[in-house]
Amino acid sequence: MSIAENLCEVEKRIAAAAKKSGRKREDITLVAVTKTHPAEMMNEAIDLGVTDIGENKPQEVRDKYEFVKPVKWHLIGHLQTNKVKYIIDKVSLIHSVDSIKLMDEIERQAQKHHIIMDILIQVNISGEESKSGIRPEELNLLLSHAGKLNHVKVKGLMTIAPKTDNPEENILHFDNMRQLFVDTSKNICDNVSMQYLSMGMSGDYETAIECGANMVRIGSAVFGARDYSKI
């Protein structure tokens, strides 16, 4: 199927899942994940109405940036402190902040560029050792620290659920993440707003939306299989 056909199908499914959860399609932000895909495919998706692009690696943001039409860029993958400088002036939202050290480097680089960087705190809600992200009980510590910063704003939470052939197996994790999001919204620190709950990818985004996600990160369902030889 073409990108246009894939995108049409994804849009239908997002709308249906949003309706099931009592919301509208426009309440959900689709971040089209373009890992390994070339600028030509990214521009085709943008021409079809995609407004938000997600990249896993800072190097891909840096290398593709000048060849891609105007769009909101998201850094969704693990971010090392020494790579922040490559993307700080290019992305709109960093999803994967999981330490005070990383938050402080984003603050330093954002100050240098005279900007305010929006971030999400990545939570390892499933407790998998292979996953990045903080433990839920560490969240208040990071949010409290964010309140001391001038060039970083926390806009919500992000998680990556376990890979599974049955998306319903992740309902518990998505529900727990939604509850953490709601509880945090009731006790907001300075410089923090719970605007985005980023969870759900190509294999489970419908379930994630039904459980409360308002931002989903979808790659292969839009662009097809990735070419990992290009990594």
Side-chain angles (χ1 to χ4, degrees):
M1 289 173 70
S2 67
I3 291 176
E5 291 170 319
N6 289 343
L7 194 56
C8 183
E9 180 66 19
V10 166
E11 284 288 345
K12 281 187 199 171
R13 292 179 178 232
I14 290 176
K19 186 175 181 181
K20 272 190 181 181
S21 66
R23 291 173 294 165
K24 299 176 182 176
R25 166 63 189 91
E26 52 265 34
D27 296 327
I28 315 298
T29 299
L30 165 62
V31 179
V33 180
T34 52
K35 180 181 179 182
T36 78
H37 296 303
E40 293 80 12
M41 291 178 72
M42 297 166 71
N43 286 329
E44 182 180 347
I46 292 166
D47 286 341
L48 290 165
V50 166
T51 58
D52 295 74
I53 289 289
E55 283 289 355
N56 288 67
K57 296 191 174 185
Q59 300 95 307
E60 288 206 61
V61 176
R62 183 187 60 184
D63 294 346
K64 297 175 184 178
Y65 189 81
E66 64 180 291
F67 303 106
V68 174
K69 296 180 178 183
V71 71
K72 290 180 183 174
W73 290 74
H74 298 240
L75 195 285
I76 64 172
H78 179 67
L79 180 59
Q80 297 173 310
T81 53
N82 64 343
K83 301 290 176 63
V84 174
K85 60 189 175 186
Y86 297 135
I87 53 95
I88 194 69
D89 59 339
K90 296 178 176 63
V91 303
S92 298
L93 185 65
I94 299 173
H95 290 226
S96 48
V97 177
D98 60 359
S99 71
I100 287 174
K101 180 182 177 184
L102 177 56
M103 198 183 290
D104 284 344
E105 180 60 18
I106 294 170
E107 168 75 11
R108 192 172 76 83
Q109 293 293 339
Q111 182 177 15
K112 192 183 291 187
H113 286 269
H114 308 289
I115 61 174
I116 294 174
M117 177 54 61
D118 291 340
I119 67 170
L120 304 181
I121 304 296
Q122 182 174 354
V123 179
N124 184 354
I125 199 69
S126 64
E128 286 184 290
E129 289 186 13
S130 61
K131 292 275 193 299
S132 298
I134 61 165
R135 299 191 304 274
E137 57 267 27
E138 297 174 307
L139 179 58
N140 285 338
L141 181 64
L142 267 71
L143 295 181
S144 179
H145 185 77
K148 304 170 187 175
L149 305 178
N150 297 313
H151 297 271
V152 169
K153 285 193 179 298
V154 177
K155 292 289 189 173
L157 306 177
M158 181 271 251
T159 199
I160 301 173
K163 283 187 178 179
T164 175
D165 292 330
N166 179 10
E168 291 192 359
E169 292 178 5
N170 282 329
I171 287 176
L172 175 62
H173 300 308
F174 289 146
D175 281 345
N176 287 341
M177 194 69 193
R178 168 66 179 172
Q179 192 58 53
L180 183 64
F181 181 79
V182 169
D183 290 345
T184 305
S185 300
K186 296 174 184 174
N187 300 289
I188 290 300
C189 306
D190 290 341
N191 214 26
V192 173
S193 64
M194 287 294 109
Q195 185 174 349
Y196 299 117
L197 178 56
S198 172
M199 61 183 191
M201 300 189 288
S202 288
D204 57 14
Y205 66 92
E206 293 164 280
T207 303
I209 292 169
E210 289 172 27
C211 291
N214 60 15
M215 181 175 280
V216 288
R217 312 176 303 272
I218 303 177
S220 57
V222 172
F223 295 102
R226 295 187 178 106
D227 182 356
Y228 284 97
S229 69
K230 302 240 178 113
I231 298 180

PDB file of all heavy atoms in Angstrom, residues 13-48:
ATOM      1  N   ARG A  13      -8.605   4.693  11.913  1.00  0.00           N
ATOM      2  CA  ARG A  13      -8.489   3.936  13.161  1.00  0.00           C
ATOM      3  C   ARG A  13      -8.295   4.860  14.364  1.00  0.00           C
ATOM      4  O   ARG A  13      -8.822   4.596  15.442  1.00  0.00           O
ATOM      5  CB  ARG A  13      -7.332   2.945  13.054  1.00  0.00           C
ATOM      6  CG  ARG A  13      -7.605   1.830  12.067  1.00  0.00           C
ATOM      7  CD  ARG A  13      -6.427   0.859  11.965  1.00  0.00           C
ATOM      8  NE  ARG A  13      -6.764  -0.211  11.047  1.00  0.00           N
ATOM      9  CZ  ARG A  13      -6.658  -1.505  11.323  1.00  0.00           C
ATOM     10  NH1 ARG A  13      -6.235  -1.897  12.514  1.00  0.00           N
ATOM     11  NH2 ARG A  13      -6.973  -2.412  10.433  1.00  0.00           N
ATOM     12  N   ILE A  14      -7.535   5.926  14.169  1.00  0.00           N
ATOM     13  CA  ILE A  14      -7.379   6.906  15.251  1.00  0.00           C
ATOM     14  C   ILE A  14      -8.732   7.516  15.588  1.00  0.00           C
ATOM     15  O   ILE A  14      -9.103   7.646  16.764  1.00  0.00           O
ATOM     16  CB  ILE A  14      -6.376   8.011  14.863  1.00  0.00           C
ATOM     17  CG1 ILE A  14      -4.951   7.441  14.819  1.00  0.00           C
ATOM     18  CG2 ILE A  14      -6.441   9.175  15.856  1.00  0.00           C
ATOM     19  CD1 ILE A  14      -3.907   8.444  14.344  1.00  0.00           C
ATOM     20  N   ALA A  15      -9.484   7.896  14.563  1.00  0.00           N
ATOM     21  CA  ALA A  15     -10.796   8.514  14.785  1.00  0.00           C
ATOM     22  C   ALA A  15     -11.737   7.560  15.514  1.00  0.00           C
ATOM     23  O   ALA A  15     -12.466   7.962  16.434  1.00  0.00           O
ATOM     24  CB  ALA A  15     -11.395   8.937  13.442  1.00  0.00           C
ATOM     25  N   ALA A  16     -11.728   6.282  15.121  1.00  0.00           N
ATOM     26  CA  ALA A  16     -12.607   5.292  15.759  1.00  0.00           C
ATOM     27  C   ALA A  16     -12.216   5.069  17.218  1.00  0.00           C
ATOM     28  O   ALA A  16     -13.078   4.980  18.101  1.00  0.00           O
ATOM     29  CB  ALA A  16     -12.556   3.975  14.986  1.00  0.00           C
ATOM     30  N   ALA A  17     -10.900   4.986  17.474  1.00  0.00           N
ATOM     31  CA  ALA A  17     -10.434   4.778  18.851  1.00  0.00           C
ATOM     32  C   ALA A  17     -10.737   6.000  19.718  1.00  0.00           C
ATOM     33  O   ALA A  17     -11.116   5.871  20.886  1.00  0.00           O
ATOM     34  CB  ALA A  17      -8.932   4.482  18.856  1.00  0.00           C
ATOM     35  N   ALA A  18     -10.580   7.186  19.138  1.00  0.00           N
ATOM     36  CA  ALA A  18     -10.896   8.413  19.875  1.00  0.00           C
ATOM     37  C   ALA A  18     -12.374   8.448  20.245  1.00  0.00           C
ATOM     38  O   ALA A  18     -12.744   8.800  21.378  1.00  0.00           O
ATOM     39  CB  ALA A  18     -10.521   9.636  19.040  1.00  0.00           C
ATOM     40  N   LYS A  19     -13.226   8.059  19.298  1.00  0.00           N
ATOM     41  CA  LYS A  19     -14.672   8.053  19.550  1.00  0.00           C
ATOM     42  C   LYS A  19     -15.016   7.089  20.675  1.00  0.00           C
ATOM     43  O   LYS A  19     -15.839   7.392  21.543  1.00  0.00           O
ATOM     44  CB  LYS A  19     -15.405   7.668  18.269  1.00  0.00           C
ATOM     45  CG  LYS A  19     -16.924   7.776  18.374  1.00  0.00           C
ATOM     46  CD  LYS A  19     -17.593   7.496  17.042  1.00  0.00           C
ATOM     47  CE  LYS A  19     -19.105   7.643  17.156  1.00  0.00           C
ATOM     48  NZ  LYS A  19     -19.774   7.357  15.859  1.00  0.00           N
ATOM     49  N   LYS A  20     -14.360   5.922  20.687  1.00  0.00           N
ATOM     50  CA  LYS A  20     -14.600   4.935  21.751  1.00  0.00           C
ATOM     51  C   LYS A  20     -14.261   5.496  23.122  1.00  0.00           C
ATOM     52  O   LYS A  20     -14.864   5.120  24.124  1.00  0.00           O
ATOM     53  CB  LYS A  20     -13.751   3.683  21.498  1.00  0.00           C
ATOM     54  CG  LYS A  20     -14.399   2.654  20.616  1.00  0.00           C
ATOM     55  CD  LYS A  20     -13.568   1.368  20.659  1.00  0.00           C
ATOM     56  CE  LYS A  20     -14.176   0.321  19.752  1.00  0.00           C
ATOM     57  NZ  LYS A  20     -13.392  -0.935  19.795  1.00  0.00           N
ATOM     58  N   SER A  21     -13.274   6.388  23.163  1.00  0.00           N
ATOM     59  CA  SER A  21     -12.849   6.940  24.455  1.00  0.00           C
ATOM     60  C   SER A  21     -13.521   8.283  24.748  1.00  0.00           C
ATOM     61  O   SER A  21     -13.123   9.002  25.668  1.00  0.00           O
ATOM     62  CB  SER A  21     -11.323   7.113  24.471  1.00  0.00           C
ATOM     63  OG  SER A  21     -10.902   8.088  23.537  1.00  0.00           O
ATOM     64  N   GLY A  22     -14.543   8.609  23.944  1.00  0.00           N
ATOM     65  CA  GLY A  22     -15.319   9.817  24.203  1.00  0.00           C
ATOM     66  C   GLY A  22     -14.663  11.100  23.739  1.00  0.00           C
ATOM     67  O   GLY A  22     -14.988  12.186  24.228  1.00  0.00           O
ATOM     68  N   ARG A  23     -13.763  10.973  22.784  1.00  0.00           N
ATOM     69  CA  ARG A  23     -13.068  12.160  22.272  1.00  0.00           C
ATOM     70  C   ARG A  23     -13.222  12.257  20.758  1.00  0.00           C
ATOM     71  O   ARG A  23     -13.832  11.408  20.124  1.00  0.00           O
ATOM     72  CB  ARG A  23     -11.581  12.098  22.661  1.00  0.00           C
ATOM     73  CG  ARG A  23     -11.364  12.262  24.166  1.00  0.00           C
ATOM     74  CD  ARG A  23      -9.917  12.034  24.554  1.00  0.00           C
ATOM     75  NE  ARG A  23      -9.516  10.651  24.333  1.00  0.00           N
ATOM     76  CZ  ARG A  23      -8.252  10.242  24.308  1.00  0.00           C
ATOM     77  NH1 ARG A  23      -7.265  11.107  24.471  1.00  0.00           N
ATOM     78  NH2 ARG A  23      -7.960   8.964  24.120  1.00  0.00           N
ATOM     79  N   LYS A  24     -12.635  13.299  20.187  1.00  0.00           N
ATOM     80  CA  LYS A  24     -12.692  13.516  18.741  1.00  0.00           C
ATOM     81  C   LYS A  24     -11.314  13.279  18.130  1.00  0.00           C
ATOM     82  O   LYS A  24     -10.298  13.277  18.824  1.00  0.00           O
ATOM     83  CB  LYS A  24     -13.136  14.958  18.440  1.00  0.00           C
ATOM     84  CG  LYS A  24     -14.511  15.299  18.973  1.00  0.00           C
ATOM     85  CD  LYS A  24     -14.823  16.754  18.725  1.00  0.00           C
ATOM     86  CE  LYS A  24     -16.182  17.135  19.297  1.00  0.00           C
ATOM     87  NZ  LYS A  24     -16.469  18.576  19.149  1.00  0.00           N
ATOM     88  N   ARG A  25     -11.291  13.079  16.817  1.00  0.00           N
ATOM     89  CA  ARG A  25     -10.024  12.857  16.120  1.00  0.00           C
ATOM     90  C   ARG A  25      -9.032  13.983  16.398  1.00  0.00           C
ATOM     91  O   ARG A  25      -7.840  13.739  16.605  1.00  0.00           O
ATOM     92  CB  ARG A  25     -10.271  12.726  14.595  1.00  0.00           C
ATOM     93  CG  ARG A  25      -9.007  12.830  13.733  1.00  0.00           C
ATOM     94  CD  ARG A  25      -8.029  11.703  14.021  1.00  0.00           C
ATOM     95  NE  ARG A  25      -6.748  11.883  13.375  1.00  0.00           N
ATOM     96  CZ  ARG A  25      -5.705  12.501  13.918  1.00  0.00           C
ATOM     97  NH1 ARG A  25      -5.797  13.027  15.140  1.00  0.00           N
ATOM     98  NH2 ARG A  25      -4.566  12.604  13.281  1.00  0.00           N
ATOM     99  N   GLU A  26      -9.524  15.225  16.428  1.00  0.00           N
ATOM    100  CA  GLU A  26      -8.613  16.360  16.614  1.00  0.00           C
ATOM    101  C   GLU A  26      -8.006  16.424  18.020  1.00  0.00           C
ATOM    102  O   GLU A  26      -7.077  17.210  18.268  1.00  0.00           O
ATOM    103  CB  GLU A  26      -9.299  17.681  16.277  1.00  0.00           C
ATOM    104  CG  GLU A  26     -10.614  17.913  16.977  1.00  0.00           C
ATOM    105  CD  GLU A  26     -11.821  17.492  16.160  1.00  0.00           C
ATOM    106  OE1 GLU A  26     -11.734  16.498  15.395  1.00  0.00           O
ATOM    107  OE2 GLU A  26     -12.872  18.165  16.295  1.00  0.00           O
ATOM    108  N   ASP A  27      -8.503  15.595  18.934  1.00  0.00           N
ATOM    109  CA  ASP A  27      -7.923  15.544  20.277  1.00  0.00           C
ATOM    110  C   ASP A  27      -6.640  14.716  20.326  1.00  0.00           C
ATOM    111  O   ASP A  27      -5.935  14.714  21.331  1.00  0.00           O
ATOM    112  CB  ASP A  27      -8.927  14.938  21.273  1.00  0.00           C
ATOM    113  CG  ASP A  27     -10.169  15.790  21.439  1.00  0.00           C
ATOM    114  OD1 ASP A  27     -10.045  17.026  21.342  1.00  0.00           O
ATOM    115  OD2 ASP A  27     -11.259  15.223  21.661  1.00  0.00           O
ATOM    116  N   ILE A  28      -6.347  13.986  19.240  1.00  0.00           N
ATOM    117  CA  ILE A  28      -5.202  13.081  19.197  1.00  0.00           C
ATOM    118  C   ILE A  28      -4.149  13.624  18.235  1.00  0.00           C
ATOM    119  O   ILE A  28      -4.456  13.931  17.088  1.00  0.00           O
ATOM    120  CB  ILE A  28      -5.612  11.664  18.741  1.00  0.00           C
ATOM    121  CG1 ILE A  28      -6.890  11.190  19.450  1.00  0.00           C
ATOM    122  CG2 ILE A  28      -4.457  10.687  18.930  1.00  0.00           C
ATOM    123  CD1 ILE A  28      -6.784  11.074  20.945  1.00  0.00           C
ATOM    124  N   THR A  29      -2.908  13.710  18.705  1.00  0.00           N
ATOM    125  CA  THR A  29      -1.801  14.133  17.834  1.00  0.00           C
ATOM    126  C   THR A  29      -1.101  12.906  17.277  1.00  0.00           C
ATOM    127  O   THR A  29      -0.650  12.037  18.027  1.00  0.00           O
ATOM    128  CB  THR A  29      -0.783  14.980  18.612  1.00  0.00           C
ATOM    129  OG1 THR A  29      -1.429  16.160  19.102  1.00  0.00           O
ATOM    130  CG2 THR A  29       0.391  15.390  17.719  1.00  0.00           C
ATOM    131  N   LEU A  30      -1.032  12.830  15.950  1.00  0.00           N
ATOM    132  CA  LEU A  30      -0.297  11.768  15.275  1.00  0.00           C
ATOM    133  C   LEU A  30       1.128  12.244  15.009  1.00  0.00           C
ATOM    134  O   LEU A  30       1.340  13.238  14.300  1.00  0.00           O
ATOM    135  CB  LEU A  30      -0.975  11.410  13.949  1.00  0.00           C
ATOM    136  CG  LEU A  30      -0.143  10.585  12.959  1.00  0.00           C
ATOM    137  CD1 LEU A  30       0.229   9.229  13.547  1.00  0.00           C
ATOM    138  CD2 LEU A  30      -0.882  10.423  11.633  1.00  0.00           C
ATOM    139  N   VAL A  31       2.083  11.548  15.596  1.00  0.00           N
ATOM    140  CA  VAL A  31       3.496  11.788  15.288  1.00  0.00           C
ATOM    141  C   VAL A  31       3.933  10.670  14.341  1.00  0.00           C
ATOM    142  O   VAL A  31       3.971   9.501  14.728  1.00  0.00           O
ATOM    143  CB  VAL A  31       4.369  11.782  16.562  1.00  0.00           C
ATOM    144  CG1 VAL A  31       5.836  12.003  16.204  1.00  0.00           C
ATOM    145  CG2 VAL A  31       3.886  12.855  17.544  1.00  0.00           C
ATOM    146  N   ALA A  32       4.205  11.025  13.094  1.00  0.00           N
ATOM    147  CA  ALA A  32       4.624  10.045  12.090  1.00  0.00           C
ATOM    148  C   ALA A  32       6.119   9.794  12.247  1.00  0.00           C
ATOM    149  O   ALA A  32       6.929  10.707  12.077  1.00  0.00           O
ATOM    150  CB  ALA A  32       4.304  10.549  10.687  1.00  0.00           C
ATOM    151  N   VAL A  33       6.471   8.564  12.593  1.00  0.00           N
ATOM    152  CA  VAL A  33       7.867   8.241  12.922  1.00  0.00           C
ATOM    153  C   VAL A  33       8.618   7.826  11.662  1.00  0.00           C
ATOM    154  O   VAL A  33       8.231   6.870  10.981  1.00  0.00           O
ATOM    155  CB  VAL A  33       7.924   7.125  13.988  1.00  0.00           C
ATOM    156  CG1 VAL A  33       9.369   6.785  14.331  1.00  0.00           C
ATOM    157  CG2 VAL A  33       7.169   7.565  15.239  1.00  0.00           C
ATOM    158  N   THR A  34       9.692   8.537  11.368  1.00  0.00           N
ATOM    159  CA  THR A  34      10.369   8.406  10.081  1.00  0.00           C
ATOM    160  C   THR A  34      11.762   7.796  10.171  1.00  0.00           C
ATOM    161  O   THR A  34      12.594   7.981   9.303  1.00  0.00           O
ATOM    162  CB  THR A  34      10.455   9.793   9.402  1.00  0.00           C
ATOM    163  OG1 THR A  34      11.031  10.726  10.322  1.00  0.00           O
ATOM    164  CG2 THR A  34       9.082  10.290   9.016  1.00  0.00           C
ATOM    165  N   LYS A  35      12.005   7.041  11.234  1.00  0.00           N
ATOM    166  CA  LYS A  35      13.293   6.376  11.421  1.00  0.00           C
ATOM    167  C   LYS A  35      13.686   5.582  10.177  1.00  0.00           C
ATOM    168  O   LYS A  35      12.919   4.743   9.700  1.00  0.00           O
ATOM    169  CB  LYS A  35      13.194   5.448  12.627  1.00  0.00           C
ATOM    170  CG  LYS A  35      14.450   4.666  12.956  1.00  0.00           C
ATOM    171  CD  LYS A  35      14.205   3.780  14.163  1.00  0.00           C
ATOM    172  CE  LYS A  35      15.420   2.951  14.520  1.00  0.00           C
ATOM    173  NZ  LYS A  35      15.166   2.057  15.656  1.00  0.00           N
ATOM    174  N   THR A  36      14.858   5.856   9.646  1.00  0.00           N
ATOM    175  CA  THR A  36      15.486   5.253   8.450  1.00  0.00           C
ATOM    176  C   THR A  36      14.853   5.685   7.135  1.00  0.00           C
ATOM    177  O   THR A  36      15.393   5.403   6.072  1.00  0.00           O
ATOM    178  CB  THR A  36      15.509   3.702   8.479  1.00  0.00           C
ATOM    179  OG1 THR A  36      14.218   3.182   8.130  1.00  0.00           O
ATOM    180  CG2 THR A  36      15.962   3.166   9.829  1.00  0.00           C
ATOM    181  N   HIS A  37      13.715   6.367   7.168  1.00  0.00           N
ATOM    182  CA  HIS A  37      13.052   6.736   5.924  1.00  0.00           C
ATOM    183  C   HIS A  37      13.612   8.053   5.381  1.00  0.00           C
ATOM    184  O   HIS A  37      13.915   8.969   6.142  1.00  0.00           O
ATOM    185  CB  HIS A  37      11.541   6.849   6.129  1.00  0.00           C
ATOM    186  CG  HIS A  37      10.893   5.549   6.493  1.00  0.00           C
ATOM    187  ND1 HIS A  37      10.988   4.425   5.713  1.00  0.00           N
ATOM    188  CD2 HIS A  37      10.148   5.181   7.573  1.00  0.00           C
ATOM    189  CE1 HIS A  37      10.333   3.432   6.279  1.00  0.00           C
ATOM    190  NE2 HIS A  37       9.821   3.866   7.412  1.00  0.00           N
ATOM    191  N   PRO A  38      13.721   8.170   4.057  1.00  0.00           N
ATOM    192  CA  PRO A  38      14.349   9.356   3.457  1.00  0.00           C
ATOM    193  C   PRO A  38      13.442  10.577   3.468  1.00  0.00           C
ATOM    194  O   PRO A  38      12.222  10.476   3.652  1.00  0.00           O
ATOM    195  CB  PRO A  38      14.638   8.904   2.026  1.00  0.00           C
ATOM    196  CG  PRO A  38      13.579   7.882   1.742  1.00  0.00           C
ATOM    197  CD  PRO A  38      13.349   7.160   3.044  1.00  0.00           C
ATOM    198  N   ALA A  39      14.050  11.723   3.218  1.00  0.00           N
ATOM    199  CA  ALA A  39      13.317  12.993   3.207  1.00  0.00           C
ATOM    200  C   ALA A  39      12.180  12.986   2.189  1.00  0.00           C
ATOM    201  O   ALA A  39      11.134  13.596   2.422  1.00  0.00           O
ATOM    202  CB  ALA A  39      14.286  14.139   2.923  1.00  0.00           C
ATOM    203  N   GLU A  40      12.367  12.280   1.062  1.00  0.00           N
ATOM    204  CA  GLU A  40      11.320  12.249   0.031  1.00  0.00           C
ATOM    205  C   GLU A  40      10.024  11.657   0.584  1.00  0.00           C
ATOM    206  O   GLU A  40       8.930  12.176   0.317  1.00  0.00           O
ATOM    207  CB  GLU A  40      11.789  11.428  -1.180  1.00  0.00           C
ATOM    208  CG  GLU A  40      12.932  12.031  -1.965  1.00  0.00           C
ATOM    209  CD  GLU A  40      14.290  11.797  -1.314  1.00  0.00           C
ATOM    210  OE1 GLU A  40      14.381  10.977  -0.367  1.00  0.00           O
ATOM    211  OE2 GLU A  40      15.258  12.448  -1.739  1.00  0.00           O
ATOM    212  N   MET A  41      10.137  10.581   1.346  1.00  0.00           N
ATOM    213  CA  MET A  41       8.946   9.955   1.936  1.00  0.00           C
ATOM    214  C   MET A  41       8.344  10.849   3.007  1.00  0.00           C
ATOM    215  O   MET A  41       7.117  10.939   3.145  1.00  0.00           O
ATOM    216  CB  MET A  41       9.299   8.593   2.518  1.00  0.00           C
ATOM    217  CG  MET A  41       9.644   7.552   1.471  1.00  0.00           C
ATOM    218  SD  MET A  41      10.122   5.948   2.191  1.00  0.00           S
ATOM    219  CE  MET A  41       8.530   5.339   2.789  1.00  0.00           C
ATOM    220  N   MET A  42       9.199  11.517   3.760  1.00  0.00           N
ATOM    221  CA  MET A  42       8.723  12.436   4.790  1.00  0.00           C
ATOM    222  C   MET A  42       7.939  13.578   4.160  1.00  0.00           C
ATOM    223  O   MET A  42       6.854  13.945   4.625  1.00  0.00           O
ATOM    224  CB  MET A  42       9.894  12.965   5.595  1.00  0.00           C
ATOM    225  CG  MET A  42      10.640  11.863   6.359  1.00  0.00           C
ATOM    226  SD  MET A  42      12.250  12.369   6.985  1.00  0.00           S
ATOM    227  CE  MET A  42      11.773  13.500   8.305  1.00  0.00           C
ATOM    228  N   ASN A  43       8.455  14.119   3.066  1.00  0.00           N
ATOM    229  CA  ASN A  43       7.785  15.232   2.384  1.00  0.00           C
ATOM    230  C   ASN A  43       6.462  14.798   1.769  1.00  0.00           C
ATOM    231  O   ASN A  43       5.492  15.566   1.746  1.00  0.00           O
ATOM    232  CB  ASN A  43       8.706  15.825   1.313  1.00  0.00           C
ATOM    233  CG  ASN A  43       9.828  16.647   1.911  1.00  0.00           C
ATOM    234  OD1 ASN A  43       9.666  17.259   2.964  1.00  0.00           O
ATOM    235  ND2 ASN A  43      10.975  16.668   1.254  1.00  0.00           N
ATOM    236  N   GLU A  44       6.412  13.558   1.295  1.00  0.00           N
ATOM    237  CA  GLU A  44       5.148  13.038   0.765  1.00  0.00           C
ATOM    238  C   GLU A  44       4.092  12.992   1.863  1.00  0.00           C
ATOM    239  O   GLU A  44       2.935  13.389   1.653  1.00  0.00           O
ATOM    240  CB  GLU A  44       5.368  11.642   0.182  1.00  0.00           C
ATOM    241  CG  GLU A  44       4.107  11.056  -0.431  1.00  0.00           C
ATOM    242  CD  GLU A  44       4.311   9.674  -1.025  1.00  0.00           C
ATOM    243  OE1 GLU A  44       5.475   9.250  -1.188  1.00  0.00           O
ATOM    244  OE2 GLU A  44       3.295   9.004  -1.314  1.00  0.00           O
ATOM    245  N   ALA A  45       4.488  12.518   3.042  1.00  0.00           N
ATOM    246  CA  ALA A  45       3.546  12.461   4.167  1.00  0.00           C
ATOM    247  C   ALA A  45       3.106  13.861   4.583  1.00  0.00           C
ATOM    248  O   ALA A  45       1.926  14.089   4.900  1.00  0.00           O
ATOM    249  CB  ALA A  45       4.195  11.737   5.342  1.00  0.00           C
ATOM    250  N   ILE A  46       4.040  14.802   4.585  1.00  0.00           N
ATOM    251  CA  ILE A  46       3.705  16.185   4.944  1.00  0.00           C
ATOM    252  C   ILE A  46       2.712  16.767   3.941  1.00  0.00           C
ATOM    253  O   ILE A  46       1.745  17.443   4.315  1.00  0.00           O
ATOM    254  CB  ILE A  46       4.989  17.036   5.031  1.00  0.00           C
ATOM    255  CG1 ILE A  46       5.837  16.569   6.224  1.00  0.00           C
ATOM    256  CG2 ILE A  46       4.658  18.518   5.172  1.00  0.00           C
ATOM    257  CD1 ILE A  46       7.254  17.086   6.215  1.00  0.00           C
ATOM    258  N   ASP A  47       2.910  16.475   2.662  1.00  0.00           N
ATOM    259  CA  ASP A  47       1.972  16.941   1.623  1.00  0.00           C
ATOM    260  C   ASP A  47       0.581  16.353   1.825  1.00  0.00           C
ATOM    261  O   ASP A  47      -0.418  16.941   1.420  1.00  0.00           O
ATOM    262  CB  ASP A  47       2.491  16.566   0.237  1.00  0.00           C
ATOM    263  CG  ASP A  47       3.671  17.422  -0.210  1.00  0.00           C
ATOM    264  OD1 ASP A  47       3.862  18.522   0.363  1.00  0.00           O
ATOM    265  OD2 ASP A  47       4.400  16.988  -1.120  1.00  0.00           O
ATOM    266  N   LEU A  48       0.524  15.181   2.467  1.00  0.00           N
ATOM    267  CA  LEU A  48      -0.766  14.509   2.726  1.00  0.00           C
ATOM    268  C   LEU A  48      -1.403  14.960   4.034  1.00  0.00           C
ATOM    269  O   LEU A  48      -2.448  14.460   4.415  1.00  0.00           O
ATOM    270  CB  LEU A  48      -0.553  12.994   2.751  1.00  0.00           C
ATOM    271  CG  LEU A  48      -0.223  12.354   1.391  1.00  0.00           C
ATOM    272  CD1 LEU A  48       0.318  10.940   1.581  1.00  0.00           C
ATOM    273  CD2 LEU A  48      -1.460  12.346   0.495  1.00  0.00           C
TER     274      LEU A  48
END
